[in-house]
Amino acid sequence: MLNKLIFANLGHRPVRTLLSVLAIAVEVTMILTLVGVSHGTLDQSAQRARGVGADIWFRPPGSSAIGLSSAPMSDKIPALLMKEPHVTFAMGTMVQPLSGFDAMTGLDLEDFQRLNGGFVI
């Protein structure tokens, strides 16, 4: 009885039914797209962070967690961190946002080689 009532209502108002289905489909597609982009961005950022070989990253106040801002940080910080008893090495980098979610990281190559042995391609 209930199914008959539902299908009769769908047949009686086909335009409203079609618009409702389209609206729900667009919303679901938008949510899936946003979740996919955010997961991809965070996974790529985590993969890059693991490739550095560092245990802890310090970021300046106001910087983005995924590295999309160029908030300034003093270049004296690594020297201060090196004075701590359990710190074996500290180095600074600079992140320059390019376009969209892309960013370029600048670093001192000699310090980077001392940190993790250098680039392996």
Side-chain angles (χ1 to χ4, degrees):
M1 174 71 176
L2 187 59
N3 289 339
K4 186 177 181 182
L5 182 63
I6 291 171
F7 287 117
N9 192 20
L10 292 177
H12 192 283
R13 297 183 175 92
V15 175
R16 182 178 75 176
T17 302
L18 179 66
L19 290 176
S20 297
V21 168
L22 280 175
I24 292 171
V26 167
E27 290 173 6
V28 169
T29 303
M30 287 173 46
I31 289 172
L32 290 175
T33 302
L34 287 174
V35 168
V37 168
S38 64
H39 277 279
T41 302
L42 290 175
D43 287 343
Q44 183 66 24
S45 178
Q47 182 181 4
R48 288 181 183 178
R50 279 191 300 270
V52 170
D55 293 329
I56 298 175
W57 280 17
F58 286 92
R59 293 190 181 272
S63 67
S64 171
I66 56 177
L68 298 179
S69 72
S70 59
M73 188 168 171
S74 175
D75 58 349
K76 298 175 184 174
I77 299 290
L80 290 174
L81 291 173
M82 290 285 283
K83 293 179 182 177
E84 293 297 317
H86 296 293
V87 174
T88 57
F89 188 75
M91 68 174 279
T93 63
M94 179 189 161
V95 177
Q96 178 65 38
L98 297 174
S99 65
F101 291 109
D102 292 333
M104 182 185 307
T105 303
L107 51 88
D108 184 12
L109 190 56
E110 292 176 9
D111 285 346
F112 187 69
Q113 287 175 349
R114 285 178 42 203
L115 175 69
N116 72 352
F119 290 108
V120 177
I121 300 176

